[in-house]
Amino acid sequence: MRVLSKRFAYVLVVAGVLTTSFAFAETGVTQDTIKVGVISDLTGPAAIGGIGMVDGLTSFFNELNEKGGVHGRKIQAIVEDCAYSPAKAVTAAKKLMTSDQIFAFVSPWGTAPTTALFPIAEKEKIPIAPACSLSTSMYDPLKKYVFALGTNYVDQSILIVEYILNDLKAKNPKIALFCQDDDWGEDHKKGLEIARKKYNLPPIAVESYKYDAVDFSSQVINLMREKPDFVILASAIKSGAMFLKEAQKLQWKPTFIGSNTLGLIATLQLAGELGQGLMVLNIFAMPDEDIPGMQRLVAASKKYFGDKWMPAPEKIHPYYVYGWLNAMVFAEGAKRAGKDLTRDGLVNAMESIQNFDPEGIMGPISYSPTSHGTPGFARMTKGDVVAKKFIPITGWRAVGK
Amino acid sequence: MESVSIKIFFQLVLSGVIVGSIYGLIALGFVLIYKATDVVNFAQGELMMLGAYFCYYLIVAFQIPFVPAFLMTLLFSAVLGLLIEFLILRPMIGKHVFSVIMVTVGLATLLRSLVGLFWGHDTYRFPAPFSETTIHVLGVSILPVELTTALAGLGLFVLFYLFFKFSNLGLAMRATAFDQKSAFLMGISVRKIFSLSWILASVVASIGGIFLASLSSLQSNMSMIGLKVFPAVVLGGMDSIAGAILGGIIVGLTENLAGGYLSKMFGSGVKELSAFFILLVILMIRPYGLFGKKEILRL
């Protein structure tokens, strides 16, 4: 035992000398690897999406590494679980920075845990590139080291209103919002207020729910009393499905439109026949679509995860797609930063990304020194219970166009 | 106009009673264990979740019809309750109350992780046999699953009331709760009573879990309702069966009426807050809960 540990110590010393002699100037970057940290929810309340995100991200990096990586360096993702807790996210971040010596955070999961990382990013000058959250708080106000990807909730609300006005041709529609009682809901409220002022609409009725609620009857009754024509459901799938059931029970039939959080197959399973024709705004392409980006994603999923995500292409979780995209954008930033990769170099390179097409999986991605969020693009889709998927009914739309 | 507001009032009351029955069923589990063993079981919500997942598994994986699956789940929960008491709680007898509570907190984490490992974290639709057709009575609407839930809550309440009032075992449980030492000296097997209370609590939990999953859906975070129900338990009195059920219904009613009538003034958050407000008021008047046993300390 003693001999072994002594030998092990020698190996460590030699390995240490070797790595330092080959080490690059920047933490987490060596001759042949870039180490990044991924903090996700693997065991907490949003684990299904968190696990999907990590798998999507790793499959992109795996594929990239097989093709030679970025400037000859392979990207090594070290994954930590935070179970959606901000405190655990901070602990995980410290572990990743001190013991793993990572170069950057890629795709930290969820608004609250990611927000807890902001002070670290600023103090240690370590990039979060990009975050896995659709909250506007990721980049408003602008934080030098934080980027985000995906159509935020404010833009989603505006896009839904514009769909109601332009496509459904509603005249002076009365719109109501059902949302979660937190930042997420606040973003939707903000978006609807912007749209209301811009298009001069009647006041928006709002009802919210607490995350762990099991009963939504008073919210349904309150909104019903306001007699809206359209109800925007910006909720988790369970609460969304229960809201629809409660509304059906009370024979209340406004037009329901969901935000992207309802664009999952599970929504159709939970809501049953109420999911038929349910309109949901989706911000990524559908995994079974015939576009190059999705074909590549599906093939990689099959290759690295077998049947886990893909008994059929449409089963691939939207957050799997999200992880894939975040990995793609990080890789693009690292590529642009060049051979001499540094943290500040990565930030500058990310800011130079203009109209980058993620192979059709979402709208074009642009950042700038004054904006670290991507422009809002989305498509309206319709639930098909028999085919068990959401089918696009519009093309890609940008806010205000 | 008048009749519409009356209808809305009754609809809010009815929904409050239904969600209150679920709270009551879960609160009942807390009380059963606390009454006999003086332990607050923080894993009650997890026992409930496990029951629901087990029943789901029987139905989906083995194609067992709902009723036999339901009965098998009850049996499973009984065995689980027995094992938990025997393996985990019994070695803790006589230890500091705080240590025992921490053990149940640990048990909660363990059960939650196990469910996550076996069934993942996806949201599933629970394959309950209830019809989706709404029943309309006197202007209010109710789903069959909601009606069944309320009736099950009521049925269990009556059953446990009779059990504790008339059966020897029930009396023995009450005696043990009242004074462990005397009960032991009178020939009551305190160990058996401890096991029994865990068995009953676990069975009640899985009934609550199956109804909750039928009402909403199956999700690994459904166990969080365990803590949400706490105001109901304290409100009714930690050691009262009637208190648990009524406490649950009072909390459900308060939440819904506050949500329906006060949310315009105070925002939607008033729905959840109202339960704690009522709790504070009742504890000021009756610190031992509505139906709790009054312990007098003379200083």
Side-chain angles (χ1 to χ4, degrees):
Chain A
M1 187 63 207
R2 262 192 74 166
V3 181
L4 246 185
S5 59
K6 215 171 187 178
R7 197 174 285 166
F8 185 60
Y10 281 129
V11 173
L12 272 186
V13 170
V14 173
V17 170
L18 279 178
T19 27
T20 20
S21 56
F22 282 116
F24 195 74
E26 187 61 275
T27 317
V29 182
T30 65
Q31 201 71 15
D32 49 13
T33 55
I34 304 170
K35 257 197 225 176
V36 297
V38 184
I39 301 171
S40 185
D41 179 2
L42 306 177
T43 56
I48 179 67
I51 295 168
M53 185 278 285
V54 167
D55 284 358
L57 177 132
T58 18
S59 67
F60 183 88
F61 284 150
N62 283 348
E63 199 201 45
L64 183 74
N65 291 342
E66 274 181 25
K67 286 184 192 153
V70 178
H71 298 300
R73 296 190 183 100
K74 294 199 167 26
I75 300 178
Q76 185 193 351
I78 301 160
V79 181
E80 287 290 325
D81 176 32
C82 74
Y84 215 90
S85 143
K88 282 185 192 160
V90 170
T91 318
K94 288 193 173 143
K95 185 245 165 196
L96 287 167
M97 291 173 63
T98 51
S99 117
D100 297 313
Q101 300 271 314
I102 55 160
F103 167 67
F105 294 104
V106 180
S107 204
W109 169 264
T111 305
T114 308
T115 306
L117 303 181
F118 290 169
I120 299 178
E122 194 182 1
K123 191 167 154 242
E124 309 287 339
K125 300 191 190 324
I126 180 166
I128 298 178
C132 189
S133 157
L134 298 175
S135 167
T136 47
S137 62
M138 294 293 122
Y139 46 84
D140 185 19
L142 181 87
K143 286 158 279 288
K144 188 181 175 197
Y145 292 93
V146 185
F147 291 82
L149 176 143
T151 303
N152 68 55
Y153 300 121
V154 174
D155 284 350
Q156 284 193 37
S157 283
I158 301 174
L159 283 161
I160 291 176
V161 173
E162 286 172 351
Y163 176 77
I164 292 173
L165 296 173
N166 302 335
D167 296 72
L168 301 180
K169 311 269 180 233
K171 293 269 173 295
N172 209 25
K174 223 175 157 196
I175 298 172
L177 170 71
F178 173 64
C179 62
Q180 199 162 296
D181 192 2
D182 56 12
D183 281 9
W184 173 22
E186 285 304 317
D187 266 2
H188 277 288
K189 274 189 222 170
K190 216 193 281 170
L192 286 178
E193 259 326 288
I194 295 172
R196 188 186 70 79
K197 284 193 187 129
K198 187 171 170 190
Y199 298 107
N200 201 15
L201 301 175
I204 313 279
V206 181
E207 276 290 319
S208 61
Y209 67 95
K210 278 265 183 310
Y211 174 72
D212 55 355
V214 291
D215 169 69
F216 305 95
S217 44
S218 66
Q219 284 92 335
V220 172
I221 287 175
N222 286 343
L223 287 188
M224 209 172 129
R225 285 194 277 194
E226 302 285 337
K227 299 193 174 56
D229 309 303
F230 297 91
V231 178
I232 298 175
L233 303 175
S235 69
I237 43 176
K238 185 187 80 180
S239 1
M242 285 186 73
F243 189 96
L244 289 174
K245 276 189 192 168
E246 191 71 29
Q248 190 205 30
K249 186 177 100 183
L250 301 175
Q251 293 165 306
W252 178 43
K253 288 169 189 145
T255 305
F256 294 107
I257 303 181
S259 70
N260 79 302
T261 44
L262 289 186
L264 296 133
I265 299 176
T267 308
L268 298 180
Q269 281 160 353
L270 281 192
E273 59 183 30
L274 298 174
Q276 186 62 36
L278 176 71
M279 283 182 280
V280 170
L281 192 77
N282 264 304
I283 59 170
F284 301 139
M286 301 290 121
D288 61 339
E289 274 182 73
D290 190 19
I291 47 175
M294 274 305 174
Q295 283 161 356
R296 190 175 146 206
L297 178 147
V298 165
S301 177
K302 191 91 195 156
K303 182 169 174 194
Y304 300 111
F305 293 103
D307 277 347
K308 182 174 178 189
W309 296 100
M310 19 182 299
E314 69 265 19
K315 291 262 160 87
I316 290 186
H317 202 278
Y319 280 98
Y320 184 101
V321 179
Y322 204 156
W324 173 276
L325 284 169
N326 276 350
M328 185 190 284
V329 168
F330 173 79
E332 175 66 19
K335 198 175 93 192
R336 283 169 184 245
K339 186 83 185 139
D340 299 332
L341 183 61
T342 60
R343 286 172 174 169
D344 280 15
L346 177 76
V347 169
N348 292 336
M350 296 274 293
E351 286 174 346
S352 79
I353 294 179
Q354 280 295 318
N355 284 319
F356 170 68
D357 174 23
E359 298 165 7
I361 300 180
M362 64 177 269
I365 295 164
S366 299
Y367 296 112
S368 73
T370 50
S371 162
H372 284 187
T374 53
F377 279 93
R379 259 186 329 182
M380 193 55 77
T381 61
K382 217 169 206 177
D384 185 333
V385 175
V386 184
K388 290 200 180 106
K389 59 183 186 181
F390 284 91
I391 297 164
I393 51 174
T394 67
W396 290 99
R397 299 272 168 86
V399 174
K401 277 168 200 156
Chain B
M1 193 59 219
E2 186 79 334
S3 78
V4 171
S5 33
I6 289 177
K7 264 184 199 169
I8 286 177
F9 174 74
F10 279 116
Q11 191 67 49
L12 284 169
V13 167
L14 187 68
S15 307
V17 170
I18 291 156
V19 69
S21 324
I22 289 277
Y23 292 163
L25 276 175
I26 299 161
L28 192 60
F30 278 109
V31 170
L32 281 169
I33 289 178
Y34 183 78
K35 204 171 156 65
T37 68
D38 269 346
V39 170
V40 179
N41 174 25
F42 278 96
Q44 198 63 33
E46 279 70 17
L47 286 176
M48 179 204 81
M49 163 184 72
L50 192 59
Y53 269 92
F54 188 80
C55 188
Y56 168 82
Y57 185 59
L58 291 180
I59 297 173
V60 171
F62 299 102
Q63 308 289 326
I64 299 172
F66 179 77
V67 175
F70 181 79
L71 296 174
M72 283 161 82
T73 306
L74 298 193
L75 189 69
F76 164 80
S77 314
V79 175
L80 182 75
L82 182 74
L83 284 177
I84 290 176
E85 197 278 330
F86 185 75
L87 295 174
I88 302 174
L89 271 300
R90 191 160 300 179
M92 297 301 292
I93 286 181
K95 300 287 186 301
H96 195 274
V97 116
F98 187 69
S99 320
V100 186
I101 287 177
M102 283 320 287
V103 165
T104 68
V105 172
L107 178 67
T109 313
L110 179 77
L111 291 178
R112 242 188 347 254
S113 314
L114 284 179
V115 165
L117 274 178
F118 274 108
W119 288 288
H121 298 274
D122 221 335
T123 309
Y124 303 103
R125 181 185 193 152
F126 193 81
F130 304 104
S131 144
E132 300 262 307
T133 325
T134 315
I135 307 166
H136 302 279
V137 195
L138 302 170
V140 292
S141 315
I142 186 168
L143 287 168
V145 57
E146 297 176 325
L147 189 65
T148 322
T149 306
L151 290 178
L154 188 72
L156 280 177
F157 167 59
V158 173
L159 207 68
F160 276 109
Y161 180 78
L162 295 176
F163 174 75
F164 280 106
K165 188 102 188 166
F166 297 111
S167 78
N168 279 340
L169 214 50
L171 287 171
M173 278 181 88
R174 276 168 65 195
T176 314
F178 187 69
D179 187 343
Q180 245 176 56
K181 217 177 262 175
S182 313
F184 184 68
L185 291 173
M186 295 301 285
I188 292 172
S189 165
V190 174
R191 277 186 188 174
K192 261 191 203 149
I193 297 297
F194 278 21
S195 305
L196 186 68
S197 62
W198 272 87
I199 292 172
L200 289 179
S202 172
V203 168
V204 167
S206 58
I207 296 175
I210 290 168
F211 279 116
L212 178 62
S214 312
L215 275 175
S216 59
S217 61
L218 202 59
Q219 212 182 5
S220 56
N221 62 14
M222 68 191 275
S223 59
M224 288 187 6
I225 196 181
L227 289 181
K228 200 172 147 59
V229 161
F230 229 74
V233 185
V234 181
L235 185 74
M238 283 296 292
D239 49 5
S240 160
I241 302 284
I245 298 279
L246 285 175
I249 291 177
I250 291 173
V251 169
L253 268 178
T254 316
E255 281 188 351
N256 258 10
L257 291 176
Y261 292 113
L262 301 178
S263 74
K264 257 214 156 138
M265 231 179 296
F266 300 104
S268 296
V270 75
K271 187 168 181 174
E272 275 75 17
L273 263 179
S274 61
F276 289 94
F277 181 74
I278 290 281
L279 178 68
L280 269 179
V281 172
I282 289 192
L283 289 188
M284 276 189 318
I285 305 164
R286 292 176 67 93
Y288 33 85
L290 276 180
F291 302 88
K293 100 185 133 188
K294 189 172 182 175
E295 279 176 18
I296 297 168
L297 284 179
R298 289 187 203 285
L299 294 175

